[in-house]
Amino acid sequence: MTTVTTCTVRYPADGLTMIGHLAHPAGADRRPAVLIGPEGTGLNDFQRRRADALAELGYVALAFDIHGGRWFADPQEMLARVTPLLADPDRMRDIGHAALDVLRAEPRTDPDRIAAVGYGTGGAIALELGRDGVDLRAIGTVNATTTGRPGEAARIRCPVWAGVGSEDPIMPARQRDAFAAEMQAAGVDWRLVVYGGALHAFHHPPVDQTVLPGVGYHPQHAQRAWRDIIGLLAECLPLTD
């Protein structure tokens, strides 16, 4: 197993001081890098461990923050913060660009080999970076089949992979269809995987706090989605470039 070094990084975005988690493997050479965006509740140990797991594989990884260090246990408080954010592509892009700047500034990062992976709100931010024309090698999202402003998906310059639960009421079939239509019309190299029987946030282990209706953990599909993301990175952001 590769030795992993981690640290906390603070940086400004969205009028807040964001607190991200940076992980990188042993060595001094430049490595391909991955942004990891959290779901709407905010950055927690789940995404931090994902960053560590990617660093064990050999990537530099930054699990970025979206709420200035907060993690929302109260669903209504979370929605009050996230709903207007998801309705404002420019705010999402600003949050994404701020994190991307931190990752690019890391000396171990190869700035020409970066991918973005996001869950829920973090996935929407990853997609908005693509719609903003950012040079990424891949975009992977879970529970984030969001659509953007008309025509802007044509600026996406990399393959897009999206995973979603078949029973997700937050990203229902009509939303999946709209996402697929947007990607197809824009000529994007896209894939959509529907995990049968899974709800929203099926990838995330259960937490003690109250969650929204339609949210539930599916351990088998959580493992499958992670393997699919690793496969996307292996294809589009190989460690041997």
Side-chain angles (χ1 to χ4, degrees):
M1 182 180 296
T2 300
T3 301
V4 171
T5 301
T6 66
C7 66
T8 297
V9 291
R10 289 175 168 81
Y11 58 96
D14 200 38
L16 302 168
T17 298
M18 300 299 185
I19 305 173
H21 176 83
L22 180 68
H24 57 75
D29 59 326
R30 286 195 163 188
R31 309 294 296 169
V34 184
L35 277 177
I36 304 172
E39 50 272 287
T41 48
L43 179 60
N44 65 9
D45 284 342
F46 173 78
Q47 288 87 16
R48 295 184 187 100
R49 288 193 296 268
R50 289 304 195 210
D52 295 350
L54 289 175
E56 288 177 1
L57 293 175
Y59 296 99
V60 177
L62 174 64
F64 66 86
D65 185 12
I66 59 175
H67 299 319
R70 293 194 63 186
W71 189 87
F72 288 98
D74 184 313
Q76 297 310 313
E77 193 177 8
M78 180 269 291
L79 288 174
R81 160 87 179 152
V82 166
T83 301
L85 176 61
L86 290 171
D88 191 335
D90 292 324
R91 277 184 68 197
M92 287 193 284
R93 292 177 186 185
D94 287 346
I95 290 172
H97 276 290
L100 185 60
D101 288 346
V102 171
L103 185 57
R104 282 178 170 157
E106 161 58 38
R108 297 292 310 284
T109 296
D110 181 341
D112 297 321
R113 292 192 291 162
I114 297 176
V117 172
Y119 299 87
T121 301
I125 290 171
L127 286 167
E128 284 306 321
L129 285 176
R131 294 185 183 107
D132 201 32
V134 173
D135 185 13
L136 298 169
R137 290 293 186 94
I139 296 171
T141 73
V142 180
N143 306 316
T145 52
T146 56
T147 52
R149 291 181 291 214
E152 291 190 338
R155 301 170 69 186
I156 295 175
R157 303 164 63 183
C158 64
V160 171
W161 176 91
V164 67
S166 69
E167 307 308 302
D168 184 345
I170 299 171
M171 294 287 159
R174 65 180 179 278
Q175 180 63 34
R176 301 197 299 264
D177 291 345
F179 171 82
E182 179 193 30
M183 294 295 110
Q184 186 65 22
V188 175
D189 177 1
W190 65 279
R191 285 167 279 179
L192 175 63
V193 177
V194 181
Y195 296 95
L199 296 167
H200 193 72
F202 69 87
H203 66 281
H204 198 297
V207 292
D208 294 335
Q209 291 85 355
T210 303
V211 294
L212 292 169
V215 171
Y217 180 51
H218 194 299
Q220 291 89 353
H221 285 325
Q223 294 176 9
R224 290 164 179 158
W226 180 241
R227 288 196 297 266
D228 286 344
I229 288 169
I230 296 302
L232 174 74
L233 296 175
E235 176 188 339
C236 301
L237 193 67
L239 292 161
T240 54
D241 270 9

